[in-house]
Amino acid sequence: MAAESAESRENLIKLVTRLVLEELAKGPGIPLGVSNRHIHLDRGDMDALFGKGCELTHKKDLGQPGQYASEETVTIKGPKGQIGKVRVLGPLRPETQVEISLSDGFTLGLRPPVRESGKIAGTPGIEIIGPRGSVIKDGSVIAALRHIHMSDKEAAVYGFKDKEIVDVEVGSPERSAVLHNVLLRVSDKYALEMHIDTDEANAVGAKNGDLVRIVGRARQ
């Protein structure tokens, strides 16, 4: 009896999952944002790099509410090389975080771990050089885990929850692929958008503004 009940629950979960994915496939899709290398600064590092009390200069809005690209750029320097004109994104954050691709890591001589944003403990160090000074960070460099921002309302409609892992079909007709291990980040502060880095986009022929679709979800 218990085995039959467990089997019934599993069949129901499979049915609900299939129906949810079918509904997603009928929708307009999820906008894609391709993230180039960039940096988020805290107040202390902003002061050290650009001058005490200096504020970021708004250049253009990004896909997420309140997020923007600034006019300010820095140079990042690793053991092997450096990369200039790395865009600073605003607003300022509690901790400095450098987001690069794995290809950038080869240029710099670093091996950035693939991490969710904010998970910087134990990551490689790097030197950040600005127009007014430089700072050496013990750990702040990641390759961002591909993810989807989704509002609470959108998640509720489709039965998703924060931190769930899904599969997403993305890319040009000639090079499309299904990307696994895509993290859902759900909050009333988010707008619907998927983020991948330039390495991932180039591999599948994807570009900013493409529409992608969730085609599966990890077993819980």
Side-chain angles (χ1 to χ4, degrees), residues 41-54:
L41 294 176
D42 62 25
R43 179 71 261 176
D45 289 340
M46 181 72 186
D47 288 346
L49 297 169
F50 293 96
K52 191 169 181 61
C54 188

Side-chain angles (χ1 to χ4, degrees), residues 1 10 15 22 25 27 30 41-42 45 71 73 80 82 92 102 106-107 118 136 146 150 187 190 194 201 208 216:
M1 190 74 171
E10 184 175 352
L15 175 61
E22 286 177 356
I30 299 169
L41 294 176
D42 62 25
D45 289 340
E71 297 284 356
T73 63
K80 183 179 175 182
Q82 63 183 39
L92 297 179
L102 298 182
F106 291 122
T107 300
I136 297 177
R146 48 190 176 232
M150 184 178 288
S187 169
Y190 293 152
M194 179 175 178
N208 277 315

Side-chain angles (χ1 to χ4, degrees), residues 150-161 186:
M150 184 178 288
S151 71
D152 293 329
K153 182 178 180 180
E154 289 157 339
V157 168
Y158 295 114
F160 289 120
K161 60 183 182 294
V186 178

Side-chain angles (χ1 to χ4, degrees), residues 4-164:
E4 290 181 1
S5 178
E7 184 178 357
S8 297
R9 285 197 298 271
E10 184 175 352
N11 289 336
L12 179 60
I13 291 171
K14 289 180 179 178
L15 175 61
V16 171
T17 297
R18 180 173 62 80
L19 292 174
V20 165
L21 295 176
E22 286 177 356
E23 286 302 309
L24 282 171
K26 296 175 185 177
I30 299 169
L32 180 67
V34 179
S35 296
N36 200 355
R37 66 185 74 96
H38 60 272
I39 184 169
H40 303 276
L41 294 176
D42 62 25
R43 179 71 261 176
D45 289 340
M46 181 72 186
D47 288 346
L49 297 169
F50 293 96
K52 191 169 181 61
C54 188
E55 299 294 339
L56 293 173
T57 307
H58 183 281
K59 179 179 175 68
K60 68 174 182 179
D61 289 327
L62 300 177
Q64 295 307 301
Q67 305 295 305
Y68 61 92
S70 76
E71 297 284 356
E72 286 74 23
T73 63
V74 298
T75 296
I76 53 176
K77 185 177 181 181
K80 183 179 175 182
Q82 63 183 39
I83 299 174
K85 299 187 182 302
V86 177
R87 186 73 55 188
V88 181
L89 302 189
L92 297 179
R93 290 192 176 185
E95 287 187 287
T96 292
Q97 177 174 288
V98 181
E99 297 184 34
I100 63 174
S101 69
L102 298 182
S103 295
D104 291 335
F106 291 122
T107 300
L108 296 166
L110 300 174
R111 291 187 178 182
V114 178
R115 294 272 186 91
E116 179 184 354
S117 180
K119 308 290 187 181
I120 59 174
T123 60
I126 199 165
E127 183 178 4
I128 307 168
I129 305 167
R132 299 289 297 275
S134 66
V135 294
I136 297 177
K137 308 298 292 184
D138 290 333
S140 61
V141 183
I142 65 168
L145 177 65
R146 48 190 176 232
H147 58 277
I148 294 173
H149 292 281
M150 184 178 288
S151 71
D152 293 329
K153 182 178 180 180
E154 289 157 339
V157 168
Y158 295 114
F160 289 120
K161 60 183 182 294
D162 189 40
K163 307 298 185 184
E164 192 166 356

